[in-house]
Amino acid sequence: MNALDINTQRLSLRTIKQEDLDAVAAIWGDIEGGKYMPDPDYKSGAEIAEILEDDPECPVYYFVALRKGLDEIIGTCSLGFENTNADEYSIGYNVKKDYWGNGYAIEMVYALIDFARKLGIKAITASVAKENKASIRVVEKCGFIIEGESSFKKSGTDIVHPAHIYKLNL
């Protein structure tokens, strides 16, 4: 994947690098922070390295979020092609627990929306667990509306989360 950089008012989003993997795994593997992610609770960067590999049939852009002026990764976000509609991509985002409640997820989602527009993407979806009130606030503040219902299973567990599919037409 080519390196990409996106800047917002307070954040620098850049393509995930090999040296970021342990920090990303710590965020994705946090029991509380990853509760509503379909991914397993990662223990190390080596466990996630393979999901970041390029697949020309299913492009996904993975970013780390750094607060401007800091070297610390405070979150991650992604924009990826996940279904048969080439004009529709889905997003994901996660903020390190120490930084919750500061609007960083909203800032990341707005950056992904702008990036998607530049790519010519026509719509973005987000699958959000119905219990995940914070994430529901994020997508709704960013203009997404409920398009349908689904569910997803937390990998490696028997936990199934009922979810709403949110959509934003660009």
Side-chain angles (χ1 to χ4, degrees):
M1 177 180 289
N2 296 329
L4 295 168
D5 292 299
I6 300 171
N7 287 293
T8 69
Q9 183 179 349
R10 300 178 299 161
L11 299 173
S12 293
L13 306 181
R14 67 165 167 73
T15 305
I16 294 177
K17 300 176 184 177
Q18 187 71 31
E19 59 266 23
D20 300 329
L21 295 179
D22 286 338
V24 171
I27 295 169
W28 291 0
D30 179 77
I31 299 299
E32 189 177 358
K35 179 178 181 178
Y36 297 114
M37 291 178 62
D39 302 293
D41 296 328
Y42 294 105
K43 306 291 185 249
S44 73
E47 293 177 304
I48 62 171
E50 68 185 43
I51 70 168
L52 300 178
E53 293 176 9
D54 285 337
D55 179 353
E57 299 296 315
C58 188
V60 179
Y61 301 91
Y62 291 101
F63 298 98
V64 289
L66 297 99
R67 199 168 78 185
K68 287 184 177 175
L70 297 178
D71 275 338
E72 182 183 11
I73 294 170
I74 67 160
T76 65
C77 58
S78 64
L79 175 72
F81 174 73
E82 288 192 14
N83 61 41
T84 57
N85 184 350
D87 292 332
E88 190 172 292
Y89 277 57
S90 66
I91 61 167
Y93 47 89
N94 197 327
V95 175
K96 193 174 179 180
K97 199 170 12 178
D98 298 347
Y99 295 94
W100 286 359
N102 291 296
Y104 292 119
I106 292 169
E107 200 165 327
M108 286 190 285
V109 171
Y110 275 131
L112 291 175
I113 291 168
D114 289 342
F115 180 58
R117 282 190 176 111
K118 289 176 185 169
L119 293 175
I121 294 167
K122 305 290 186 221
I124 301 173
T125 62
S127 178
V128 180
K130 292 179 181 181
E131 295 177 7
N132 191 345
K133 304 299 183 206
S135 195
I136 289 169
R137 282 192 301 276
V138 169
V139 293
E140 288 180 350
K141 282 184 179 182
C142 293
F144 287 71
I145 59 170
I146 295 174
E147 180 182 69
E149 295 192 16
S150 69
S151 64
F152 61 89
K153 185 176 179 183
K154 175 81 173 166
S155 183
T157 73
D158 292 328
I159 299 169
V160 176
H161 293 288
H164 286 298
I165 302 296
Y166 283 86
K167 185 173 183 178
L168 177 68
N169 289 312
L170 303 179

